[in-house]
Amino acid sequence: MSLLIAINETFCQCKIYDREIVNALYTVVVSFQGIGFIATTVYWAGNMVNKDTIVNKNNKFLVGWREVAALPDLGINGIHVKIDTGARSSCLHTFKIEEFTRDGEDWVKFWIHPIHNNTDVEQVCEAKVADKRVVRNSGGDEQLRYFIVSTIDFNGQQWPIEISLTSRDNMAFRMLLGRTAMHERIIVDPEASYLIKTQG
C-alpha cells in the first residue's frame, strides 16, 4: 500500500486534478517478501479528487442534484430546482399563461407556485417571448411551449438561461435545470443536495 500512498501524494503535490487523469483506473501491484502471491488493488482515482480544486477549475462550481435558486428578472427570490443532466433544456412550472403584446413584441404573463409543496401561494410573472417551439417531454409527448430568457442566481453566481414554460404540477420540483444552462458553469455531484448556501 506504500506505493499507492506515494502515487497519491505525488499527484496531490503536483496539483494534478485533470478529470481525464483522475477518472483513470490505477492498478497497484504489491509484492510481499517471502509470500508467493501478488495483491492487485484497483483504485478509482476519483477518490483522490480535491473538490475545492475542481469547483474552482475553469470557474465552475459544484452543485447537488437539487438546489435552491433565484430568478431575479422574474421576481422569484427562491425556488427549488432539480439539476437534471438528462434533460437538454430547462423548464419552469406554470399553471396559467396569457400572451400579450408590449411595444410591438410578444410577451407572456404566467402564474407559478414558487413555494415547494405549496399550491396555495401564487406569483404572477411577466417576460418577453424568446421563442415558441415543440418539446418532447419525459413521457414522450410533444408540446408546443413558450421559451423565455431569464437570469438564474445561485447565491451570487448569475448568468442568463433559456427556460420553457410548462405545467409541472405532477412533478416534485417547480423548476428543472437542463444541460444547456449548465454548460461551462456547473459540476454536478449526484449524491449531494443543497450545496449552495442561500443568501440571508
Side-chain angles (χ1 to χ4, degrees):
M1 294 298 290
S2 59
L3 178 58
L4 177 61
I5 293 171
I7 292 173
N8 288 351
E9 290 179 350
T10 300
F11 271 77
C12 292
Q13 289 171 3
C14 296
K15 297 183 180 179
I16 300 175
Y17 297 110
D18 189 277
R19 294 185 67 80
E20 292 184 1
I21 296 175
V22 299
N23 285 335
L25 280 172
Y26 283 75
T27 302
V28 178
V29 179
V30 182
S31 297
F32 292 91
Q33 184 177 5
I35 300 177
F37 70 91
I38 294 177
T40 303
T41 305
V42 179
Y43 260 70
W44 278 104
N47 293 332
M48 302 189 320
V49 173
N50 181 322
K51 286 188 176 182
D52 291 334
T53 303
I54 288 183
V55 172
N56 294 324
K57 185 177 180 181
N58 299 324
N59 294 321
K60 295 181 181 180
F61 62 99
L62 190 68
V63 301
W65 71 271
R66 53 182 176 177
E67 295 289 347
V68 176
L71 300 170
D73 297 344
L74 303 177
I76 300 173
N77 296 323
I79 188 167
H80 287 254
V81 181
K82 179 181 179 183
I83 313 298
D84 191 349
T85 58
R88 182 179 182 277
S89 59
S90 304
C91 63
L92 178 66
H93 164 67
T94 60
F95 61 90
K96 182 180 179 182
I97 302 176
E98 293 180 357
E99 187 174 353
F100 65 98
T101 302
R102 177 178 291 170
D103 299 327
E105 296 181 310
D106 293 334
W107 281 63
V108 283
K109 177 185 290 187
F110 53 95
W111 284 252
I112 69 168
H113 297 301
I115 301 177
H116 197 53
N117 294 326
N118 185 321
T119 57
D120 296 327
V121 177
E122 301 178 1
Q123 183 172 341
V124 182
C125 307
E126 293 183 353
K128 185 170 70 172
V129 176
D131 196 9
K132 283 193 291 186
R133 60 180 183 265
V134 174
V135 175
R136 180 177 286 110
N137 63 22
S138 58
D141 300 321
E142 293 186 340
Q143 301 173 332
L144 180 63
R145 295 185 187 177
Y146 290 98
F147 281 80
I148 65 172
V149 175
S150 180
T151 300
I152 191 166
D153 183 341
F154 283 104
N155 195 26
Q157 296 276 359
Q158 296 185 349
W159 67 96
I161 64 171
E162 188 181 60
I163 307 171
S164 69
L165 305 178
T166 185
S167 174
R168 289 181 56 84
D169 251 340
N170 60 334
M171 301 295 183
F173 291 86
R174 303 292 191 224
M175 183 175 175
L176 182 151
L177 192 72
R179 293 190 306 276
T180 55
M182 307 180 208
H183 185 60
E184 296 185 349
R185 300 274 187 174
I186 285 176
I187 297 171
V188 183
D189 183 345
E191 297 181 349
S193 297
Y194 303 120
L195 297 180
I196 305 300
K197 295 179 180 179
T198 56
Q199 293 179 344

